[in-house]
Amino acid sequence: MTFETTVPRILFIDSYDSFTFNLVSLCRGYPDCAVHIIKNDAFTIEQLLPFLPLFSAVVVGPGPGSPQNDQDIGVIKDLWGLAANVLLPIFGVCLGLQSLGVAYGARLERLNVVKHGQASLIHHTGRELFEGVGLVEAVRYHSLHVTLLDAGEVEQLAWADDGSENGLVVMAMRHTSKPFWAVQYHPESVCTQGGGRDVVSNFWSLAQTWSNKHGRRTSMELLSFLYFWKSSQIVSTRILDLPNLTARQVCELFGVANDESPFVLLDSAAQPGRHSIIGSLLPSSPQLSYFVGTPM
């Protein structure tokens, strides 16, 4: 199955991360494009190569695990070594930055003090991803970091000063000759200030400039990915136009009788909100209980 489209397309590689769709939403706006998401273990590099000419750029999302563990990063490790004839712009986030660094000789280490959900002041060079970007305060979710080689093929664009905790920590980098850029922090976080939308927009500008300079043109013919996807990976969705239906009413329709019923409601804080997430457990649903701290 094929169809034609003139909308720019980004291939997003998901490493089973809970922030994936937040980042996808941010990427869709710069440019106004279509984002196609695959898991990092859905394709081998041999299967993926024929599809790369169909995309304007690749975004390597965050994820748990280590860039030194093949099971954690899947096909990502092969993207950094693409041959010149299939090369395309790539933007990495968190695990994406670490995998880029490791691919070009950076030393992977564990932070003395992990940074999970903490905001840091990000110092930057004002170049490339940070062109025209002022003060950046960004949210970090990582326990690993990379130390770059002196005069290596990747260079630092931004860093955080963790003082006595971790010293200087790389927060952004670029490859010196290939169209690869990456950030360690999370640009999609609602608490990231100054280094989110502007940095993603700058990546797109850099990607366009590189593609134009090297004569790279994106094929407008899009082949269906469904041919390669296993049936268990296909998710069915349905959109219902039900105006004036509240999240509470939806919960009641799912059989939620009171606060003691087994359900989850993550209601949007914005009014009117864009999304609410509702989960209602069936009697057969597996449940996991855990406790934090010392049992009483």
Side-chain angles (χ1 to χ4, degrees), residues 4 14 30 34 39-40 57 75 77 109 116 124 126 132 168 176 184 192 194 229 235 237 245 267:
E4 298 287 325
D14 173 25
Y30 300 92
K39 298 294 187 183
N40 65 21
V75 75
K77 64 183 181 299
E109 299 174 308
H116 286 168
H124 60 79
L168 300 180
T176 56
Q184 174 63 68
T192 290
W229 282 67
V235 178
T237 61
L245 188 65
D267 206 1

Side-chain angles (χ1 to χ4, degrees), residues 65-74:
S66 167
Q68 293 179 330
N69 187 339
D70 287 352
Q71 290 184 330
D72 292 336
I73 62 171

Side-chain angles (χ1 to χ4, degrees), residues 5-288:
T5 177
T6 58
V7 176
R9 291 185 295 269
I10 290 176
L11 178 63
F12 189 103
I13 301 184
D14 173 25
S15 292
Y16 296 89
D17 193 78
S18 58
F19 291 97
T20 289
F21 289 97
N22 299 51
L23 185 55
V24 166
S25 181
L26 180 61
C27 291
R28 281 199 177 107
Y30 300 92
D32 184 14
C33 65
V35 180
H36 298 260
I37 307 170
I38 63 170
K39 298 294 187 183
N40 65 21
D41 56 359
F43 293 82
T44 65
I45 190 62
E46 291 77 18
Q47 291 172 327
L48 190 59
L49 282 176
F51 293 108
L52 292 183
L54 308 175
F55 295 95
S56 302
V58 174
V59 174
V60 176
S66 167
Q68 293 179 330
N69 187 339
D70 287 352
Q71 290 184 330
D72 292 336
I73 62 171
V75 75
I76 294 170
K77 64 183 181 299
D78 300 306
L79 294 175
W80 309 120
L82 288 174
N85 64 316
V86 290
L87 198 60
L88 78 168
I90 303 177
F91 179 59
V93 175
C94 198
L95 182 65
L97 174 138
Q98 294 169 10
S99 63
L100 171 59
V102 168
Y104 288 96
R107 186 170 68 252
L108 183 71
E109 299 174 308
R110 187 169 296 277
L111 292 172
N112 295 321
V113 179
V114 300
K115 299 294 180 179
H116 286 168
Q118 298 183 38
S120 297
L121 180 65
I122 307 299
H123 307 272
H124 60 79
T125 61
R127 298 169 45 241
E128 306 248 338
L129 292 177
F130 297 92
E131 181 75 30
V133 176
L135 183 68
V136 176
E137 186 173 13
V139 175
R140 298 160 60 184
Y141 290 89
H142 65 116
S143 57
L144 301 175
H145 74 106
V146 294
T147 300
L148 304 184
L149 294 174
D150 293 333
E153 293 184 69
V154 288
E155 67 174 6
Q156 181 175 254
L157 292 175
W159 61 95
D161 187 350
D162 286 353
S164 60
E165 293 180 339
N166 302 304
L168 300 180
V169 182
V170 175
M171 285 290 114
M173 65 173 68
R174 75 173 187 109
H175 194 281
T176 56
S177 61
K178 297 181 179 181
F180 302 155
W181 296 267
V183 295
Q184 174 63 68
Y185 65 86
H186 282 251
E188 79 285 359
S189 172
V190 68
C191 292
T192 290
Q193 303 296 322
R197 294 179 181 274
D198 292 340
V199 165
V200 174
S201 179
N202 280 345
F203 163 70
W204 179 246
S205 296
L206 290 164
Q208 286 182 304
T209 299
W210 183 90
S211 294
N212 291 336
K213 179 180 179 180
H214 291 82
R216 185 179 189 274
R217 296 291 181 267
T218 305
S219 171
M220 289 296 103
E221 183 183 82
L222 181 61
L223 300 177
S224 172
F225 275 92
L226 295 180
Y227 177 79
F228 290 93
W229 282 67
K230 300 175 183 177
S231 59
S232 61
Q233 294 174 305
I234 299 175
V235 178
S236 297
T237 61
R238 184 181 178 189
I239 298 176
L240 301 176
D241 184 12
L242 300 173
N244 303 319
L245 188 65
T246 67
R248 178 176 178 176
Q249 290 171 324
V250 173
C251 288
E252 292 172 350
L253 290 172
F254 277 113
V256 176
N258 51 51
D259 289 344
E260 300 300 320
S261 300
F263 79 104
V264 174
L265 170 61
L266 299 177
D267 206 1
S268 175
Q271 296 296 330
R274 183 179 178 189
H275 299 295
S276 293
I277 300 174
I278 300 171
S280 182
L281 300 178
L282 299 173
S284 59
S285 298
Q287 299 184 40
L288 174 66

